[in-house]
Amino acid sequence: MQHLRTTIAALLLGSLVTVASVHAQPSPTPPTVATFVEAPYPPAAREAGREATVELEITVGADGRVLDARVLAPAGDGFDEAALTAVRQFVFTPATRDGRPIAARIQYRYRFELEEMTTGQIEGRILSRTDDAPLPAVEIVATGVAGVFRATTDESGTFSFTDLPPGAYRITIAAVDHAELVQDEEVRSGQAASVTYRLTPAESDVDGGSFGATATIEAPAREITRRSIEASEMTKMAGTRGDALRGVELMPGVGRPPSGLGMIIVRGSAPTDSQVYLDGAPVQQLYHFGGLTSFVNGSLLQRIDLYPGNFSARYGRKIGGIVEAELRDPRTDRHHAELDVNMTDAFALVEGPIDDRTSFAVAGRRSYVDAWIGPALESMDAGLAAVPVYYDWQAIVAYKPGERDRLRLIGYASSADLRVVIANPGGTSTSRDRVGLANSMTRVRGDWTHTWPGVEQVVSLVTGVRTYRARIGPEIGVKGDVIDVFGRADWKATVTDQLALRWGVDVQHTRSDIEYDAPAIRQVEGNPDKFARPEEVDRTHYRGVGTFFRPAVFAEAVVTPVPALELVGGVRVDRFDEIAEWAVDPRATARYTRGATTFKGGVGRFSQPPEEGEALEGLGNPDLRAQHAIHYGLGVDHELDERVSVGVEGYYKRLDDMITTGMSGARDNSGTGRIYGLEVAGRWRPGGAFSGFLSYTLSRSERNDGGRWRLFDYDQTHILTVSGAYKLGRGWELGSTFRLVSGNPETPVVGSIFDGDIDSYRPIYGAVNSSRNPMFHRLDVRVEKQFRIAGYRCAGYLDVQNAYNRQNREGTAYNFDYSERRDTPGLPLLPSLGIKGEL
């Protein structure tokens, strides 16, 4: 309770200090628009008669140029992208303080309004193809977003649609004894389209073609502009199943996790060394069990940031990398609904305005893959069958009492359950070979954003509960019930046009009620016996409560001595109360831009406390200390044009005080590590028919447990990812993703010995991680077709993972005396056929 009072007091004190400092400053003159750029009106929105207002945050430099722009309140339907394209070309009269131009951050509303609409028309004739004879009394149906219109031909085959609202229409013509014709036309404001349709009689052999009915018209079809249902380009990448967060796997430096484990491996670091954040609050796992789906739906995400190294001082308690997902505000233009149903799970979303200042969004997802994938895997005699079951939901209420304030209340939850059956080479299993894993999380978050001239404040408080359960056979079990509280306050201030400051408070308080009946906590990474039979290892029985209080403060200064050079210096101070240790981590980065080329470099220190339970007396070692890392990075990025960019970056990470099993057999901080590599990235941004990624990582990750250097369990020398999506036209889109990755290291079994004490054989191992699984490769393919039903946007898609059913080896299983072995395969060919719609 004392820790919670301290947290709240720190947040309030920081806010009061900021208010006082702001009122002490002279009031600046805000920037004004000098050169306005008209945004292109999204065609699909114009067709639907939609208007919208996009709220943006624009950072204006001291020279009046736009340095950065981002959407605060998305409107969808292409409005956000159009507004960003326009405002980035604005030129401002810069803000001033005491008569001097300064950089400033402002909020701007870009309003899209339709010009006064006039109608158009379609007129024409319908003729028989064989002799150009007119076809009378033929009904023509024109279907568009404005409704359904009908006309009938007269004796001369002439018809006319008058007073049609502008937009796209589907023309359907059905005539007696003739093939049906379906054609797309576009009606333009104030214009008349004149067309001639020729129908082919049924049961005729035209131009030597095959038997049947065909229809032709004089002019080629006009392609209607296609609107993407999913805003993020990540959702179009094959293998993601439309899940934006899974696009993180395509990024340079991100390793391939073993199938079904749903972990993230960043630049050769252990999965527990990297952190996933949702709106600034840490979450324990990016994916549900099985790795099929992330824990939050991509339709509600504003953006996803990956920091593989040298991350800002506002992040801490980890020595690997950072993934941050930011939830967007609900739409305010009108009410929307979205539904996605596929072979794995179903998702639904409803959002819209409550009044002119308040909006809401509610989304939920539930899997049912266990109904069919479990029996399929067991029938394959794969030796391992994993059946994930999961659900998640999110709810958001956003309230904007004025131009300078935003309040949000957010709730979200996820739950995952994984049942695993491991069979021996004979195909049988016992109760000992059955594994169950389950976790859940439920949280509530409140945040308040307020801006003063030149200053922004964001204060948030998150609280919730989570549970985890693990069961291996009838004897081994782990149970945890956890209460989390996270408090955070961030302030950003523009002091001068050469100096900007950022500072804040970051507090984490966790209470864990733990029941542990399992093998004693020991080293897992680099330990060949990590999956040893229960009777082969010592057991620990623990019941207790662990409390983890971890407050931190941080500060950063951004100095721009000349427009082309940006220097960032920061420091973070953490307190790890459970081990009574302070950590002071300075960090620095630099960026120099010359034309379309940016050179960048950085160095920083990072600290990470022991995981929950590792330092608890009676369960772990209370003498453990924090682990530390030094990150070095140097790279260059180049923009080839507006859509195409390439980059190269080299990195080195030194790991110290790593927690390992020392020479004495006890857990201590005697381990060290080193990670180094080179990353190459290419990106083709959306904007035309094609978009995609190319990433290649060359790396080596090693550990030293007090003896000699060895490979890290997830060392992957080569990681190549090529992913792209192409719009074929007429609503069709094709995407594919190919990954080629070095196999994970493996410790070979070179023999066995019979142990009479446990009446079982023990393996004899070779050098740790001295062999490697074969090269992993996989092709994912995605096909999508978008269409409309009664004016509603719909799409059908097929997303196939491991399209050519590559039997990638994930590990090795042995029989009772280790004389026989068999490969443990990874994910088989996994199709996901689905349909989605939005209204």
Side-chain angles (χ1 to χ4, degrees):
M1 184 61 70
Q2 179 62 37
H3 293 324
L4 295 179
R5 287 197 295 266
T6 303
T7 300
I8 296 171
L11 300 179
L12 293 176
L13 179 60
S15 181
L16 292 173
V17 170
T18 301
V19 172
S21 65
V22 167
H23 286 293
Q25 297 179 7
S27 177
T29 302
T32 57
V33 178
T35 302
F36 177 83
V37 176
E38 185 76 26
Y41 213 101
R46 183 187 296 277
E47 171 191 328
R50 279 204 56 209
E51 297 181 342
T53 298
V54 181
E55 295 187 22
L56 305 109
E57 179 185 83
I58 306 175
T59 302
V60 182
D63 60 355
R65 302 287 179 181
V66 174
L67 302 179
D68 187 32
R70 68 187 184 97
V71 176
L72 295 178
D77 282 347
F79 287 115
D80 306 331
E81 295 81 357
L84 283 172
T85 299
V87 301
R88 285 168 177 159
Q89 303 174 64
F90 280 14
V91 178
F92 287 80
T93 301
T96 60
R97 179 184 287 122
D98 296 331
R100 294 181 54 199
I102 61 172
R105 183 179 291 110
I106 63 171
Q107 292 187 7
Y108 186 89
R109 289 187 172 185
Y110 201 111
R111 176 67 181 166
F112 289 84
E113 294 180 324
L114 290 168
E115 65 274 11
E116 184 177 352
M117 182 179 295
T118 59
T119 60
Q121 66 183 59
I122 299 176
E123 59 186 26
R125 300 183 70 197
I126 298 179
L127 308 175
S128 175
R129 186 183 179 206
T130 55
D131 55 8
D132 271 354
L135 298 177
V138 175
E139 184 181 50
I140 305 99
V141 180
T143 305
V145 294
V148 178
F149 303 84
R150 288 178 168 82
T152 304
T153 59
D154 59 17
E155 291 299 323
S156 65
T158 300
F159 72 93
S160 177
F161 289 103
T162 59
D163 297 327
L164 288 178
Y169 288 84
R170 173 147 292 183
I171 307 298
T172 304
I173 305 171
V176 177
D177 296 330
H178 286 76
E180 182 182 73
L181 182 146
V182 178
Q183 171 67 19
D184 293 331
E185 297 289 350
E186 184 174 348
V187 174
R188 301 184 183 277
S189 177
Q191 297 182 15
S194 181
V195 296
T196 300
Y197 299 116
R198 287 182 168 85
L199 305 187
T200 299
E203 299 185 3
S204 67
D205 190 331
V206 180
D207 297 334
S210 59
F211 178 82
T214 61
T216 62
I217 60 172
E218 290 183 336
R222 302 185 181 102
E223 184 173 317
I224 298 175
T225 303
R226 174 177 177 273
R227 174 189 176 272
S228 173
I229 294 178
E230 295 288 345
S232 171
E233 61 184 298
M234 292 295 187
T235 63
K236 296 298 181 183
M237 296 303 166
T240 66
R241 297 178 54 252
D243 189 335
L245 270 172
R246 292 207 59 195
V248 172
E249 298 177 8
L250 308 179
M251 300 300 181
V254 179
R256 185 194 69 84
S259 295
L261 295 188
M263 57 180 59
I264 182 168
I265 303 168
V266 181
R267 281 189 177 174
S269 295
T272 54
D273 292 347
S274 296
Q275 184 65 66
V276 179
Y277 287 88
L278 180 61
D279 269 358
V283 293
Q284 278 56 52
Q285 197 162 332
L286 179 61
Y287 303 117
H288 291 298
F289 287 144
L292 294 176
T293 307
S294 63
F295 71 99
V296 61
N297 193 275
S299 294
L300 284 174
L301 292 178
Q302 173 77 9
R303 64 179 184 184
I304 304 165
D305 294 321
L306 168 68
Y307 304 98
N310 282 310
F311 42 85
S312 165
R314 68 187 297 265
Y315 302 106
R317 308 186 186 101
K318 292 295 179 181
I319 60 175
I322 298 294
V323 176
E324 178 157 27
E326 180 181 327
L327 292 171
R328 64 173 175 84
D329 283 351
R331 297 181 187 179
T332 57
D333 57 327
R334 61 180 176 86
H335 289 92
H336 296 260
E338 184 178 335
L339 179 67
D340 188 330
V341 179
N342 56 63
M343 296 170 63
T344 306
D345 54 38
F347 163 77
L349 164 69
V350 178
E351 63 178 320
I354 298 176
D355 55 35
D356 58 351
R357 295 186 177 184
T358 313
S359 57
F360 79 98
V362 179
R365 171 171 46 195
R366 173 63 164 84
S367 74
Y368 37 75
V369 67
D370 54 306
W372 61 273
I373 195 173
L377 286 175
E378 291 183 358
S379 67
M380 292 171 57
D381 192 27
L384 183 148
V387 184
V389 180
Y390 55 85
Y391 72 82
D392 57 67
W393 61 262
Q394 303 86 37
I396 306 172
V397 176
Y399 173 62
K400 295 181 179 179
E403 293 291 334
R404 297 187 178 276
D405 291 278
R406 182 186 71 168
L407 299 169
R408 295 199 304 175
L409 181 63
I410 301 172
Y412 55 92
S414 70
S415 177
D417 187 355
L418 179 66
R419 299 186 299 276
V420 181
V421 178
I422 306 171
N424 63 34
T428 61
S429 64
T430 66
S431 61
R432 184 184 62 190
D433 300 315
R434 297 182 180 273
V435 179
L437 301 173
N439 64 30
S440 66
M441 172 184 66
T442 304
R443 284 183 179 170
V444 177
R445 168 191 170 93
D447 61 53
W448 169 43
T449 301
H450 181 78
T451 59
W452 297 274
V455 179
E456 179 184 83
Q457 169 190 270
V458 180
V459 179
S460 64
L461 185 65
V462 182
T463 185
V465 297
R466 53 187 168 94
T467 65
Y468 54 88
R469 305 285 189 269
R471 172 64 60 181
I472 303 176
E475 301 175 349
I476 297 178
V478 177
K479 176 182 177 183
D481 295 291
V482 184
I483 300 174
D484 291 314
V485 179
F486 307 103
R488 188 177 188 93
D490 290 79
W491 293 274
K492 295 185 290 186
T494 302
V495 181
T496 69
D497 52 350
Q498 285 91 27
L499 176 63
L501 300 177
R502 182 169 193 165
W503 68 98
V505 180
D506 175 11
V507 181
Q508 175 180 328
H509 182 274
T510 299
R511 182 187 185 278
S512 297
D513 190 341
I514 302 171
E515 296 182 13
Y516 189 93
D517 292 295
I521 292 181
R522 56 190 180 143
Q523 181 171 342
V524 174
E525 193 281 319
N527 179 7
D529 267 329
K530 55 178 169 285
F531 299 123
R533 297 168 181 169
E535 61 268 22
E536 297 178 3
V537 295
D538 296 332
R539 302 278 291 276
T540 295
H541 304 278
Y542 176 86
R543 302 288 187 279
V545 175
T547 302
F548 309 90
F549 180 60
R550 299 169 178 172
V553 294
F554 61 89
E556 283 183 336
V558 181
V559 181
T560 310
V562 294
L565 179 63
E566 179 183 88
L567 305 173
V568 180
V571 64
R572 181 182 177 94
V573 179
D574 277 280
R575 169 68 177 181
F576 307 130
D577 203 52
E578 71 273 19
I579 57 174
E581 184 176 334
W582 291 89
V584 180
D585 296 332
R587 302 167 192 179
T589 60
R591 298 174 63 89
Y592 177 75
T593 302
R594 186 175 180 84
T597 305
T598 299
F599 302 91
K600 57 187 180 181
V603 61
R605 184 177 189 264
F606 304 84
S607 301
Q608 177 175 318
E611 295 297 311
E612 290 179 17
E614 281 191 312
L616 287 179
E617 188 169 4
L619 182 59
N621 179 6
D623 295 326
L624 290 177
R625 307 186 310 277
Q627 305 172 101
H628 303 285
I630 305 292
H631 292 193
Y632 304 89
L634 188 65
V636 58
D637 295 325
H638 182 72
E639 298 285 338
L640 296 175
D641 58 30
E642 293 181 351
R643 297 182 56 209
V644 184
S645 62
V646 294
V648 179
E649 183 171 356
Y651 61 89
Y652 179 85
K653 294 197 287 188
R654 191 187 75 197
L655 312 179
D656 297 308
D657 302 319
M658 300 298 292
I659 297 175
T660 185
T661 300
M663 301 300 291
S664 65
R667 299 278 281 164
D668 59 26
N669 289 87
S670 62
T672 57
R674 59 193 181 197
I675 307 169
Y676 49 92
L678 180 73
E679 298 169 353
V680 179
R683 183 182 181 191
W684 197 298
R685 299 181 186 89
F690 176 78
S691 63
F693 294 92
L694 167 67
S695 67
Y696 171 71
T697 303
L698 175 67
S699 70
R700 188 171 181 87
S701 180
E702 299 177 312
R703 301 293 186 271
N704 190 318
D705 303 319
R708 61 180 183 177
W709 289 99
R710 60 168 178 82
L711 289 178
F712 173 59
D713 275 1
Y714 300 113
D715 172 73
Q716 295 169 359
T717 307
H718 304 282
I719 306 172
L720 173 67
T721 302
V722 182
S723 184
Y726 189 80
K727 299 177 181 178
L728 301 173
R730 293 183 176 273
W732 287 95
E733 185 163 333
L734 175 65
S736 64
T737 298
F738 178 74
R739 297 204 84 184
L740 180 68
V741 185
S742 298
N744 288 328
E746 186 178 59
T747 302
V749 174
V750 297
S752 65
I753 186 172
F754 183 78
D755 187 338
D757 292 337
I758 60 173
D759 193 28
S760 181
Y761 284 86
R762 291 183 182 270
I764 300 175
Y765 294 105
V768 174
N769 289 342
S770 58
S771 65
R772 201 182 270 278
N773 284 327
M775 184 75 76
F776 171 96
H777 55 87
R778 191 177 93 182
L779 176 68
D780 302 330
V781 178
R782 180 182 178 88
V783 180
E784 181 175 309
K785 174 67 169 77
Q786 295 199 0
F787 54 93
R788 289 179 179 271
I789 299 178
Y792 299 125
R793 292 180 292 270
C794 302
Y797 62 88
L798 174 64
D799 194 304
V800 182
Q801 299 182 54
N802 195 11
Y804 50 76
N805 200 26
R806 162 72 175 179
Q807 298 297 301
N808 291 296
R809 193 174 90 189
E810 294 288 3
T812 306
Y814 295 89
N815 68 340
F816 73 101
D817 64 354
Y818 298 91
S819 62
E820 298 179 19
R821 56 174 290 169
R822 66 181 297 172
D823 294 342
T824 300
L827 185 74
L829 184 148
L830 182 61
S832 180
L833 179 65
I835 187 169
K836 56 186 177 181
E838 181 181 349
L839 54 88

